[in-house]
Every structure is written in structure tokens, then in C-alpha cells.
Amino acid sequence: MKATLTEENYLKALFHLVDHENKVTINELSKFLSVKMPSVNNMMKKFAEKNWVRYETYKPLVVTESGRREAALVVRKHRLTEMFLVKKMNFGWENVHEIAEQLEHVHSAVFFDKMDEILDYPKFDPHGEPIPDKDGNIIAQDLQKLSSCEPGSTVVFASVTLSDDAFLNYLTERNLLLNKEIHIIKIESFDRSMTVEIEGKQEILSRKATDKILVKA
């Protein structure tokens, strides 16, 4: 039986929140989804019956391999849709998230496989995040937050941790797009804002922004 729309939203939340031990707490899910704790508990009991999580009262949830795959397949639909909207329909990267939120709940594997084929099997979405394959496998990336880099270093913008419209517009206005080189000039001690150079032009980025930008050396 296919997951419901609500179940898919929970699965996607698990994908984003799970730690390196495949664990996540009920409280984390509650805050992420803005859903009350009793409702989350009830849903996770249903997930345990489907073998998507291991559930014990007062302990972190453990996402099973089956649950991880189901979650990755929801994310696959979302990220493929975003890529299709950007590459084939000429949407800006800041305008695709909400549309993908709606289309990710279509229950047709062949539809998304065809989308994948038309796009020539992309590995990453428009925001630099890896697209799971149709078996739920995902490419591991060795990235770090821009905020952790030192002055004098030059890095390449690889991905974002937040793809909401306001943040993506903030980046676009500063010509800070994927695969651009970022040269770090200085970091202010009082607020950790960062002065960077992008294609010969200096920009000042807030600490909040540099925490959401992932880069590679």
C-alpha cells in the first residue's frame, strides 16, 4: 500500500533529521513539522508497524533500512521535480520548492523515471543536493559549512542546507550561485559575518547565511 501524503511528509522529515546513527527524536520531528507530540507519537507507532522505524517510548527513533529507502524515494521525487522545473521549464532555483512539494506526492514511479531519463539522469538538484536513485541510494558528499572556513581560503559553492525562497533570493542578489568560487577575505569577530569575493566583487555574508552554505575545497 502506498504511503499517504501525510506519511510522505513524515518520511521526508526523517530523511532530513536523522543523524549518523539513523536516529531522531520525537521532539525533533514535532518541531520540524510543527505537529504536536502526541500526533507524532501516534504516527511513529504506525511507522513501526510498517517496519520503517524502531519505536520505544522515551527513546530516540531508529530509522530502519526500509524506512530510509522509503524516505529517500520521496526526496527523489521532490528533487527530480525541482530539476525538471529549472532545466526544462526555465523556473528560477528560488521558485521551485513549493511546486515540487505538491508534485512529490504523485504515486507513479514510471512518471519520475521518465523525468529522470529526460533530464539525462542528474546526480544533483538545482540547489546542489544529491538526488537519490530509484533504489533510494544517494551519493555521499564531503562538504563543509562556509562558516567553518578560514580567511584566505578559496572554496567552491556546492550546496545549500535550506532552499526556501527568501534565502535563495538572498544568494541570487549577491551572484552567489552553485559552482562559483568564493574567496574568503575576513571574518568579523563580533558577529562572525564574512567578507568574501565572488568573481572580483566583494560581498558581506551574515553568519546565518554562511551556516547554510555548503562548500568544497
Side-chain angles (χ1 to χ4, degrees), residues 12 30 72 96-97 115 178 182 187-188 211:
K12 193 167 61 170
S30 174
V96 296
H97 180 73
M115 188 182 287
L178 292 185
I182 305 170
I187 300 173
E188 300 293 345
D211 269 344

Side-chain angles (χ1 to χ4, degrees), residues 21 23 29 36 53 75 139 147 154-155 178 197 212-213:
E21 294 182 326
K23 293 181 179 180
L29 272 175
K36 292 181 179 179
V53 301
V75 172
I139 296 171
S147 58
T154 298
V155 293
L178 292 185
E197 184 178 293
K212 297 171 184 173
I213 295 170

Side-chain angles (χ1 to χ4, degrees), residues 67-78:
R68 186 207 66 77
R69 181 178 182 277
E70 289 293 328
L73 292 178
V74 178
V75 172
R76 167 180 166 79
K77 293 190 291 181
H78 183 99

Side-chain angles (χ1 to χ4, degrees), residues 150-167:
E150 297 295 330
S153 58
T154 298
V155 293
V156 176
F157 181 18
S159 183
V160 294
T161 63
L162 181 71
S163 55
D164 71 77
D165 295 356
F167 181 55

Side-chain angles (χ1 to χ4, degrees), residues 81-93 96 126:
T81 299
E82 289 188 328
M83 198 62 169
F84 190 87
L85 290 168
V86 169
K87 293 296 185 183
K88 298 300 180 180
M89 301 185 72
N90 298 319
F91 281 84
W93 71 333
V96 296

Side-chain angles (χ1 to χ4, degrees), residues 2 9 19 24 31 38 56 58 95 123 128 136 190 208:
K2 298 292 186 181
N9 285 336
D19 65 15
V24 61
K31 289 180 178 178
E56 291 184 66
Y58 306 121
N95 301 132
K123 301 299 183 185
F190 72 98
K208 189 175 181 180

